[in-house]
Amino acid sequence: MPQTSLPPAADAPAEKSAPPARSLRVRRLSGRDRLVLGLMVGVPTLIQAVLVWIPTLLSVGLSFMKWNGLNLADIRPAGLSNYTYAVQDYPPFWPAVAHNIIWLAFLALVATPIGLLLAVLLDQKIRGTRLYQSIFFAPVMLSMVMVGIVWQLVYARNEGLLNNLLGTAGTPGAVDWFGDSGVNLWAALVATTWRHAGYIMVLYLAGLKGIDPSLREAAAIDGSNAWQTFFRVVLPAMRPINIVIVVITIIEALRAFDIVYLINKGTNGLELLSVLVIQNLVGVGQVIGVGSALAVILLLISLGPIVYYLVRTFRRAD
């Protein structure tokens, strides 16, 4: 029989031709795009410069000047005399430095661990966890002035809650928690902790929610208990949160002002660098040069531990 052959198209499927490669074109920004981009970058930069960087540079410049803050023609160069006076001849300076160090140590070693403990407890599947989170976070929504007023009701000598609980209210044995220079710093730190711990709790809760559950499962398979799992697996995995919290704790400790100024205007055992800055920059007999020098010193003290911690952390990560 004669063999019938199929046409070449039927013998083998036709090869599909590859789609033509797209030419990569760089789209140029239109005039409107440039305007929007310029506003998005320029407006925040301008606000940052006006509110932060320009005042900072002016403070650095004024720290080397003598000026009473009234007439620009009265500005005179002073060299390092403002810094010399602040460090050597200004009596509240070193007590304020010591109090700021105590403030930082207390927030780092007491308030922050309390916030971390609250976050770990509330991260468990317990009934009413949302309610507890709201209760502990409520002080964060209050200003430091309001926090000071609340704790004045607690610490008042004659009508305060604490002295009433101790049974000493209205008696000679009542403790003047805000008036006694031996205890008022610690009383103010407890009040600050009440607010700071709730803030730290929220940050750590966000970090704990973002942890991959498989990390805990792998640690449990390896035989780690809950304590080992948290400190060897969970806490290191929250390194970005830890960095933020360290920076926040340092800033909160060194810029503390509201509560001590409300108590006794930052005197009688509550001297802080931030209070000394305001006392020299504002009010009668203001000394702009000394106040600016104190502000620069406070800025350097703030930046020192933050930069050291960040450099060390990122170098270790590399």
Side-chain angles (χ1 to χ4, degrees):
M1 293 180 63
Q3 295 182 353
T4 59
S5 60
L6 296 174
D11 289 338
E15 295 183 359
K16 294 183 179 179
S17 58
R22 288 186 179 180
S23 59
L24 298 178
R25 273 188 174 181
V26 178
R27 180 176 175 269
R28 294 187 177 183
L29 296 177
S30 64
R32 183 178 179 181
D33 294 336
R34 292 177 183 176
L35 177 61
V36 172
L37 182 61
L39 290 175
M40 292 177 62
V41 176
V43 172
T45 303
L46 180 62
I47 295 174
Q48 181 86 357
V50 171
L51 298 181
V52 178
W53 296 112
I54 293 177
T56 300
L57 295 176
L58 290 176
S59 296
V60 174
L62 289 173
S63 67
F64 298 100
M65 303 291 176
K66 285 187 179 295
W67 185 36
N68 58 8
L70 299 177
N71 190 353
L72 293 177
D74 294 334
I75 299 179
R76 298 287 184 272
L80 296 175
S81 62
N82 291 324
Y83 292 94
T84 303
Y85 171 77
V87 174
Q88 297 181 358
D89 303 322
Y90 192 37
F93 176 76
W94 287 111
V97 172
H99 294 160
N100 272 113
I101 293 174
I102 294 173
W103 204 284
L104 174 60
F106 194 90
L107 290 187
L109 301 178
V110 178
T112 298
I114 289 176
L116 175 59
L117 177 62
L118 291 174
V120 173
L121 293 177
L122 295 179
D123 188 50
Q124 310 299 319
K125 295 181 179 179
I126 59 176
R127 182 179 298 178
T129 181
R130 300 285 184 181
L131 176 62
Y132 297 138
Q133 291 177 24
S134 301
I135 292 173
F136 289 122
F137 185 71
V140 182
M141 297 184 290
L142 302 177
S143 67
M144 287 304 296
V145 175
M146 185 61 67
V147 171
I149 294 174
V150 170
W151 282 91
Q152 275 187 335
L153 300 175
V154 176
Y155 286 135
R157 181 169 186 174
N158 295 323
E159 299 86 10
L161 175 63
L162 188 55
N163 278 326
N164 274 287
L165 291 177
L166 295 175
T168 58
T171 67
V175 179
D176 189 1
W177 296 98
F178 280 160
D180 187 351
S181 60
V183 297
N184 56 7
L185 178 63
W186 305 106
L189 284 170
V190 171
T192 303
T193 299
W194 181 61
R195 184 176 185 271
H196 183 77
Y199 190 21
I200 299 301
M201 176 201 71
V202 171
L203 294 176
Y204 270 126
L205 269 175
L208 289 171
K209 298 298 183 184
I211 296 296
D212 188 353
S214 62
L215 294 177
R216 291 189 175 95
E217 295 173 0
I221 293 174
D222 290 340
S224 299
N225 56 33
W227 183 273
Q228 293 171 333
T229 300
F230 179 77
F231 283 99
R232 295 182 181 180
V233 178
V234 176
L235 194 60
M238 292 191 296
R239 187 172 68 91
I241 301 295
N242 294 330
I243 293 174
V244 171
I245 288 176
V246 167
V247 173
I248 288 176
T249 301
I250 294 173
I251 293 175
E252 286 289 327
L254 296 177
R255 75 176 183 90
F257 169 79
D258 310 70
I259 190 167
V260 297
Y261 197 80
L262 181 67
I263 293 171
N264 61 7
K265 299 190 183 304
T267 59
N268 189 31
L270 286 177
E271 296 85 359
L272 294 175
L273 287 174
S274 57
V275 177
L276 299 185
V277 172
I278 298 301
Q279 288 175 347
N280 284 274
L281 292 178
V282 180
V284 180
Q286 57 191 4
V287 187
I288 303 297
V290 175
S292 299
L294 291 169
V296 173
I297 292 173
L298 180 59
L299 175 64
L300 295 177
I301 294 175
S302 303
L303 290 178
I306 292 175
V307 172
Y308 172 77
Y309 177 79
L310 292 179
V311 170
R312 185 176 178 182
T313 301
F314 289 119
R315 183 179 298 170
R316 187 185 304 167
D318 294 339

